[in-house]
Amino acid sequence: MTDNSSPIPLSKPYFPKELRRTIAADIDAILASGRLMNGPWAKRFEDAFAALTKREHAVSVNTCTTALQIALSYAGVSNKEVLVPAGSFVTDVSAVKFAGGRPVLVDMNPQTLALDLDSLESKLTSDTRAIIWVHLVGMIASDYRAILEFADRHDLFLIEDAAHAHGAEIDGLPAGSFGNASAFSFYPTKILTSGTGGMLTTDDPELARFAREMRVFGKDEGTGEIVHYGNDWFLDEIRACVGAHHMSVLGEQVTHRRALAEAYAAGLANQPGLRLLPIPTGCAPSWYQYPIFLMDDIDRAALITALKDKHGIEAKGIYKPTHEEQIFKELDDGTLKVTEDVLHRSLCLPMHANLSPAEIDGICRALVSELRRQVG
Ligand SMILES: Cc1ncc(COP(=O)(O)O)c(C=O)c1O
């Protein structure tokens, strides 16, 4: 793997030829029908998603960030505090701001990559109204019961951000089934994509109705009057068609990703310079990303460059800690040290269903050779 003319990408949407043909034919029929919104494809996608997440309701929207914002508005976070992981994608924080709330960053549990319970307790105030809980890289935290119990005990509205976790499970319970509301992303890098898009799942019929009204300008479903400050946030029929069809290969993709994760774990076990993520019994990640964690003596930037330039392999950190982003620096209260340590050490390797275990072996060999070079 020394040819870097077409590097192995970190992610690539999985659309086998037969599926592409079916989608193209159905999009042609949608365009011919003239019905581009609130049609059978959105319904089909939503029904499939409610079944996947074992929820009463699924409401399709234009992005995951919108689903988060709608859930936060419904929870009444305006002028209230919302506990958000410092180690996640920036729009978990932006969505709180859009809904008029005050984001408070919570530190990370390095074993689960999710909310640290001590940090959660320490950030709780009488103004706290909600929590956003993220399944980073597609792994549901093994201490999920304690997170659910914390939200329950303090009467907090719990929103699950399952943007990385299509098809992930813990103890047989699917991502998207926890808390008051869950949000999924169908952004192009995601395991399941509709081009782009989002889904809100919930068992609360009032929230489902609020979401359906918010996505069409805030229009009351019964009277047609504008009753909320809504927006043009629905998922059109073309993207809903792509997403509904993509669900047919979700199981296949997740199974394949799990096999690739096993190949990585086998190829990287006991190698110098890195630590692997422990996967507790009962936890079945979706493996949106495959992260490893580098030891102190490894220069991550140099490693990323060497992998790309010498081996044609893309790699990157999970995310920058949110409080290190220019616009969110004021959210740094000096307590987010584990998040900083874990994310600065993190390195995501290529993970998508177009890869084969043999390619993973090649990536492992290239990585190990570069790590050995650095540790001497
Ligand atoms: C954890 C997480 N939450 C939310 C989002 C936002 O998703 P969308 O682009 O669909 O709004 C992303 C997107 O990458 C994400 O990774």
Side-chain angles (χ1 to χ4, degrees), residues 29-328:
I30 290 167
L31 294 174
S33 79
R35 180 163 193 173
L36 297 186
M37 70 180 290
N38 280 347
W41 284 103
K43 167 107 178 65
R44 186 163 150 184
F45 195 18
E46 290 169 348
D47 287 350
F49 233 84
L52 174 76
T53 56
K54 300 191 165 65
R55 288 285 209 182
E56 294 292 321
H57 307 276
V59 182
S60 57
V61 286
N62 63 339
T63 66
C64 177
T65 307
T66 295
L68 293 168
Q69 184 182 341
I70 289 173
L72 288 159
S73 297
Y74 178 78
V77 302
S78 182
N79 292 316
K80 297 281 180 193
E81 292 175 358
V82 180
L83 302 175
V84 186
S88 183
F89 190 61
V90 285
T91 62
D92 285 310
V93 171
S94 318
V96 175
K97 294 264 191 188
F98 295 152
R102 298 198 301 273
V104 174
L105 295 183
V106 176
D107 209 6
M108 177 186 280
N109 175 334
Q111 300 298 312
T112 65
L113 307 184
L115 297 162
D116 175 76
L117 283 161
D118 290 338
S119 181
L120 262 186
E121 289 278 1
S122 73
K123 300 290 170 94
L124 186 74
T125 73
S126 55
D127 267 352
T128 311
R129 177 74 193 100
I131 308 178
I132 297 179
W133 168 31
V134 181
H135 308 313
L136 209 62
V137 311
M139 183 173 82
I140 304 177
S142 51
D143 59 356
Y144 68 100
R145 287 193 192 86
I147 294 171
L148 296 172
E149 195 270 330
F150 175 86
D152 206 37
R153 179 157 37 98
H154 298 291
D155 197 21
L156 302 175
F157 194 92
L158 181 63
I159 301 169
E160 194 193 356
D161 176 345
H164 295 186
H166 317 73
E169 288 184 357
I170 185 111
D171 296 337
L173 304 168
S177 65
F178 298 99
N180 301 81
S182 312
F184 286 86
S185 172
F186 310 128
Y187 186 78
T189 58
K190 298 296 186 265
I191 301 172
L192 199 149
T193 183
S194 53
T196 197
M199 190 76 75
L200 183 150
T201 62
T202 182
D203 293 320
D204 177 348
E206 288 304 314
L207 170 55
R209 175 177 178 144
F210 179 71
R212 288 194 302 269
E213 293 177 343
M214 286 292 278
R215 71 182 176 180
V216 196
F217 311 114
K219 203 185 276 186
D220 184 288
E221 281 190 334
T223 65
E225 293 289 312
I226 299 297
V227 289
H228 316 291
Y229 297 112
N231 208 327
D232 166 4
W233 280 336
F234 67 91
L235 190 71
D236 61 81
E237 284 290 282
I238 296 169
R239 283 179 296 159
C241 169
V242 177
H245 277 302
H246 212 207
M247 288 209 63
S248 68
V249 291
L250 177 62
E252 182 188 324
Q253 280 200 80
V254 172
T255 302
H256 192 78
R257 282 168 181 264
R258 288 181 186 149
L260 298 183
E262 276 177 26
Y264 270 130
L268 298 176
N270 304 318
Q271 294 296 340
L274 65 91
R275 177 178 79 81
L276 299 177
L277 195 59
I279 307 301
T281 318
C283 179
S286 55
W287 294 115
Y288 166 58
Q289 292 169 323
Y290 188 82
I292 60 167
F293 301 91
L294 303 172
M295 299 301 190
D296 285 344
D297 44 2
I298 303 298
D299 177 339
R300 184 173 71 169
L303 181 62
I304 291 173
T305 304
L307 285 172
K308 178 113 190 290
D309 293 351
K310 288 163 65 181
H311 304 277
I313 297 166
E314 280 187 2
K316 71 165 195 61
I318 297 178
Y319 291 125
K320 216 190 213 188
T322 298
H323 53 284
E324 289 181 6
E325 296 290 351
Q326 187 65 31
I327 196 167
F328 294 129

